[in-house]
Amino acid sequence: MNKPYLISTHNLFTLRLLLSLLGAYIGYAYRHASHDYWFVMIFLFTAIAIAPDYYQFKQHGDNHKALIDRLLHWSGGLCAGIVIYAYHNSGRIFHEEAGLIVLLILALTTYLDGIKRGWRCIFAGLFLGLVTVCVAYFDSYIWQLSMLAATAIAYSYRSRSG
């Protein structure tokens, strides 16, 4: 198993976009359950973001500052998501609103991670923000988001060196 290939920036970018598309579909078809999906995605996106730095730290042992910086960044998003989920469980906010807020937190955390990490994270954050707008305001958006994601994945594949 080739771990560096599995956690390459292109593969992680592709995984993020595919999970985002799945979430867009869940938001379209199962609005009442989307908050659970996006809450789980905060944890999964955190693991996806931390995996390359953790792997590099395990291999070389010299990248602890980058790992700590990324852990601190993503722990903020995790804490915000947990607070929103607690509000939802206490009845302060409804299912659909909880899903949209958690999705917006995930989009912002991913986007801000991209400022240090590169265009793929920035695009993934913007894509998640677009998913948030689409779920909130439109009735038909799955095909348009799929085409945008496919184009971005193709471009990412073509420019894998970065």
Side-chain angles (χ1 to χ4, degrees):
M1 182 189 245
N2 192 356
K3 285 184 185 177
Y5 175 74
L6 288 176
I7 59 173
S8 71
T9 56
H10 169 71
N11 287 345
L12 295 179
F13 175 68
T14 302
L15 180 60
R16 283 184 182 117
L17 290 187
L18 292 176
L19 290 171
S20 300
L21 279 175
L22 178 61
Y25 175 75
I26 290 172
Y28 174 76
Y30 308 101
R31 290 187 188 267
H32 62 283
S34 67
H35 65 284
D36 291 327
Y37 178 81
W38 291 117
F39 185 66
V40 170
M41 285 304 104
I42 285 184
F43 288 96
L44 189 56
F45 272 55
T46 299
I48 290 169
I50 292 171
D53 288 330
Y54 179 76
Y55 178 75
Q56 188 173 358
F57 176 73
K58 281 297 200 181
Q59 292 297 316
H60 306 291
D62 61 350
N63 197 22
H64 70 285
K65 184 176 179 348
L67 180 61
I68 290 171
D69 285 348
R70 197 166 261 194
L71 280 169
L72 288 173
H73 172 80
W74 281 92
S75 66
L78 284 171
C79 289
I82 289 168
V83 168
I84 296 304
Y85 207 74
Y87 286 163
H88 170 260
N89 284 337
S90 69
R92 295 274 199 197
I93 54 178
F94 297 113
H95 300 302
E96 292 85 4
E97 291 86 3
L100 290 174
I101 295 168
V102 170
L103 176 53
L104 194 58
I105 289 169
L106 180 59
L108 181 62
T109 306
T110 305
Y111 175 81
L112 292 175
D113 191 35
I115 291 174
K116 290 185 178 181
R117 303 300 173 180
W119 72 266
R120 287 178 178 93
C121 285
I122 290 174
F123 184 88
L126 291 173
F127 188 79
L128 285 165
L130 184 61
V131 169
T132 305
V133 171
C134 289
V135 169
Y137 291 111
F138 302 115
D139 291 330
S140 176
Y141 51 84
I142 299 298
W143 291 110
Q144 296 87 347
L145 289 175
S146 298
M147 293 304 295
L148 179 61
T151 304
I153 290 169
Y155 180 78
S156 174
Y157 180 77
R158 186 171 173 182
S159 64
R160 280 183 296 185
S161 62

